[in-house]
Amino acid sequence: MTKEKLIVALDFPTLKEAQACVEACGDEVCYYKVGMELYYSAGHEILSFLKKHHKKIFLDLKLQDIPNTVGRAMRVLTRLKVDMINVHAVGGLKMMQAAQESARQEAAALGIEAPKLLAVTVLTSMDEESFAALNYKVPIASQVIALAKLAQEAGLDGVVASAKEAAQIRAACGKDFLIVTPGVRPAGADTQDQSRVTTPAQAIQNGANYLVVGRPITQAADAQRAAREIQAQICEGSL
Ligand code: C5P
């Protein structure tokens, strides 16, 4: 089951490149994240492809709008029958409640399990300086905890956050709350535009349920090997 903890971000502009990555990763990866770039260019095709290959899907579209609009969007996204979907927590309690209600109602009408709903807290690319420039007067960690509690109050299943804040989220929201952490880099790897990074083992030890990894796998010369190494580090962290 630890293999499911690794979610590979298919950040590609075309279906062809995404398919090549899935094929290269083979059995090492069973969970994929489809974000804006790929969804906007080849959404339906990539979802069908992943389902045909029995892969799980996290649809990372980070919805944020007025509650009515997000609720209506979530209703149609639920029909795509993916495993996980997210919204921005800064959209507020009512927006998250609308998302949760719509997903639950639509799933019940379809007779399917509702997708897990996650709230994005503070992007892992943010550092304290860029966060403060948004006029927030608190450290990132306290904003992350406040947003995680709000997401839980709205009935969401969990949050997307940096593994640096995972232990505090776990303490504040309990053992059943899902924590999905991007910003994961194997020791010594390039951090690119990510700021609040940890290694795979650290992320698991801090209480993350799922790790989202993109470029360290998708840009590797041997994607399967890169995935296998990260899977080994996840196992190490789980011991
Ligand atoms: O290539 P890299 O491993 O940095 O990719 C991380 C992925 O996780 C990207 O697809 C990015 O959009 C996503 N993500 C993130 N931080 C968040 C939420 C999602 O980096 N808070």
Side-chain angles (χ1 to χ4, degrees), residues 23-213:
E23 275 156 10
C25 290
D27 290 342
E28 280 305 325
V29 180
C30 47
Y31 216 139
Y32 285 95
K33 181 173 88 66
V34 175
M36 295 180 232
E37 183 187 18
L38 185 57
Y39 191 74
Y40 296 157
S41 91
H44 290 278
E45 296 93 326
I46 189 65
L47 297 192
S48 310
F49 176 83
L50 290 170
K51 285 181 194 173
K52 201 174 102 199
H53 287 78
H54 309 289
K55 304 297 184 188
K56 294 186 86 170
I57 302 166
F58 169 19
L59 192 55
D60 176 23
L61 297 179
K62 299 186 179 73
L63 305 192
Q64 185 187 348
D65 208 313
I66 59 171
N68 180 59
T69 302
V70 168
R72 293 177 70 94
M74 195 54 75
R75 202 171 280 282
V76 293
L77 290 179
T78 302
R79 296 180 197 148
L80 300 176
K81 300 181 184 167
V82 298
D83 301 279
M84 213 140 67
I85 306 182
N86 60 5
V87 299
H88 266 295
V90 287
L93 182 68
K94 288 198 175 124
M95 188 207 77
M96 290 192 277
Q97 284 169 330
Q100 200 271 344
E101 269 290 283
S102 294
R104 204 179 45 78
Q105 282 174 3
E106 191 63 21
L110 294 169
I112 60 167
E113 203 180 315
K116 299 279 182 227
L117 279 200
L118 304 176
V120 176
T121 55
V122 177
L123 295 172
T124 44
S125 53
M126 281 271 169
D127 57 19
E128 296 291 349
E129 198 188 336
S130 38
F131 186 68
L134 297 173
N135 208 27
Y136 286 109
K137 307 294 184 207
V138 295
I140 290 179
S142 55
Q143 177 74 352
V144 169
I145 305 307
L147 292 175
K149 286 186 181 164
L150 198 67
Q152 190 169 42
E153 190 187 334
L156 266 60
D157 298 286
V159 285
V160 184
S162 161
K164 288 202 178 295
E165 292 105 31
Q168 282 173 274
I169 297 170
R170 183 64 65 225
C173 300
K175 66 176 176 41
D176 296 327
F177 199 60
L178 294 177
I179 304 175
V180 179
T181 62
V184 176
R185 291 291 180 268
D190 186 354
T191 58
Q192 286 122 346
D193 60 343
Q194 295 287 13
S195 290
R196 299 178 355 266
V197 299
T198 65
T199 65
Q202 276 167 349
I204 294 291
Q205 281 158 5
N206 290 359
N209 300 93
Y210 296 95
L211 274 51
V212 174
V213 182

